[in-house]
Amino acid sequence: MSQSRHVPVMLQRCLDLLAPALEEPGAVVVDCTLGLGGHSEALLERFPEVRLVALDRDKEALRLSGERLAPYGERATLVHAVYDELPDVLDRLGVPRVQGVLFDLGVSSMQLDEADRGFAYAQDAPLDMRMDQTAGMSAAEVLNTYPPGELVRILRAYGEEKQAKRIVSAVVREREKEPFSNSARLVELIRAALPQAAKRTGGNPAKRTFQALRIEVNGELSVLERAIPAAVETLGVGGRIAVLSYHSLEDRLVKQVFAAGAANTAPPGLPVVPERYAPRLKLLTRGAELPTEEEIAENRRAAPARLRGAQRIRESIG
């Protein structure tokens, strides 16, 4: 996999959002989703004084980005961890507070491009989808063993798939004949199960089901629910966080955490707002920022991206 093909999404905008916090001497920035190291490399390059801590649950990604970031030596610390483990990682490294945090929640290009991982619906591959292939259940096991009601819930909640019931009844019928092992059979089944009208609504009809399975297999939303508030807590005052998400479920979660941090929680009618009710965050983006048309033309994976940023403006009290 050539790393030059990997164009990090909304790179310039992410760097600009984080810049005011990273120009301080001794600043530490965390890349919670290292992937192939595109964002990390750009951070080290643009901010020559900054120290980087980067996490990934995928050992192959760590190996490849380790080679890419080797020229930066001691300035880069790469850690095999899921991003909700950030507080423990910083604790072990003796870093009490950080100045910048970046999340890019897209599936790494490497995982989509490596046929044998089973993330992509465009080519046949074993149905695995685990980001850390040393742990947990594969997508095939989920399809073959989950009760129908649970599969319907997952497709609706994580894939926003309106035809979940149809797809699941076809899956249940087929898995009784022979368990699922490869992606092509699942794609075929979905095509056959959907009514004509549903197939006309743009994109591959299997896309939503594959998204749902990926989120379930990797526990992505529950990890994210813990990770975003934990990351906000690691920011020093003046520190900034930027989050790129790629579907409405992730974006909604990020929006809720940021909005709660930026809210004044004082009971109405107080003449002066006591410190403990004052907002801890300031929003840096109006709603979610979208990629430009030029960027989407250059990198089609940028199309669904949504970027939100926030700045820590005071410590938590109580």
Side-chain angles (χ1 to χ4, degrees):
M1 152 97 210
S2 85
Q3 295 177 353
S4 58
R5 274 207 348 249
H6 174 64
V7 185
V9 172
M10 295 179 82
L11 177 61
Q12 211 41 57
R13 190 63 192 111
C14 289
L15 295 176
D16 293 346
L17 260 181
L18 296 172
L22 299 185
E23 276 146 2
E24 291 180 22
V28 177
V29 64
V30 182
D31 183 347
C32 287
T33 44
L34 172 64
L36 288 175
H39 285 108
S40 278
E41 184 177 45
L43 286 163
L44 289 162
E45 189 61 40
R46 174 152 166 196
F47 307 106
E49 301 295 307
V50 89
R51 177 181 168 200
L52 168 89
V53 176
L55 317 185
D56 208 293
R57 53 162 57 170
D58 187 328
K59 288 193 165 161
E60 184 60 6
L62 285 165
R63 187 184 68 74
L64 288 169
S65 47
E67 290 168 14
R68 182 178 189 163
L69 302 178
Y72 299 95
E74 303 280 285
R75 291 179 55 208
T77 306
L78 311 189
V79 185
H80 182 234
V82 183
Y83 41 66
D84 64 339
E85 299 172 78
L86 177 60
D88 302 340
V89 169
L90 293 176
D91 212 32
R92 288 203 303 273
L93 296 172
V95 176
R97 282 278 188 257
V98 302
Q99 284 61 54
V101 177
L102 174 67
F103 283 87
D104 177 358
L105 299 170
V107 181
S108 132
S109 317
M110 179 187 71
Q111 291 162 340
L112 287 173
D113 294 337
E114 270 191 19
D116 61 352
R117 302 287 286 268
F119 283 95
Y121 34 82
Q123 52 205 27
D124 192 21
L127 274 169
D128 190 318
M129 299 197 196
R130 288 172 299 170
M131 290 184 195
D132 178 352
Q133 288 186 297
T134 61
M137 274 180 122
S138 70
E141 290 173 88
V142 168
L143 272 181
N144 294 328
T145 63
Y146 275 31
E150 188 60 4
L151 284 175
V152 170
R153 185 191 69 77
I154 289 166
L155 294 198
R156 280 189 182 147
Y158 299 161
E160 300 180 276
E161 175 55 83
K162 295 186 180 69
Q163 305 290 336
K165 272 197 155 146
R166 274 178 190 247
I167 292 170
V168 169
S169 50
V171 164
V172 171
R173 203 170 52 241
E174 283 299 312
R175 76 185 185 185
E176 280 166 10
K177 298 177 197 167
E178 190 194 336
F180 283 88
S181 60
N182 273 44
S183 56
R185 182 173 165 222
L186 178 59
V187 173
E188 263 324 290
L189 172 145
I190 293 167
R191 279 189 198 282
L194 293 182
Q196 274 315 110
K199 288 181 212 176
R200 285 197 291 271
T201 55
N204 190 310
K207 184 178 180 178
R208 291 180 294 277
T209 298
F210 273 65
Q211 173 182 299
L213 286 170
R214 193 195 84 215
I215 290 173
E216 173 64 17
V217 163
N218 295 293
E220 287 173 46
L221 285 176
S222 48
V223 169
L224 194 60
E225 268 179 280
R226 296 188 295 272
I228 302 288
V232 166
E233 281 306 308
T234 68
L235 287 174
V237 172
R240 290 174 165 228
I241 178 170
V243 185
L244 276 167
S245 42
Y246 294 80
H247 55 76
S248 57
L249 304 166
E250 289 174 342
D251 184 52
R252 198 175 310 144
L253 230 158
V254 176
K255 178 184 176 179
Q256 285 164 352
V257 174
F258 284 5
N264 165 1
T265 55
L270 294 182
V272 176
V273 174
E275 184 78 356
R276 70 174 182 277
Y277 297 127
R280 291 169 299 128
L281 291 180
K282 179 175 96 182
L283 302 181
L284 299 173
T285 43
R286 294 186 60 169
E289 290 187 7
L290 311 182
T292 62
E293 281 171 24
E294 297 80 50
E295 185 168 13
I296 294 169
E298 187 185 330
N299 178 8
R300 61 190 171 74
R301 287 185 187 143
R306 302 284 177 271
L307 175 65
R308 292 182 188 268
Q311 179 177 23
R312 184 76 183 253
I313 52 175
R314 57 168 53 77
E315 286 292 347
S316 305
I317 292 178

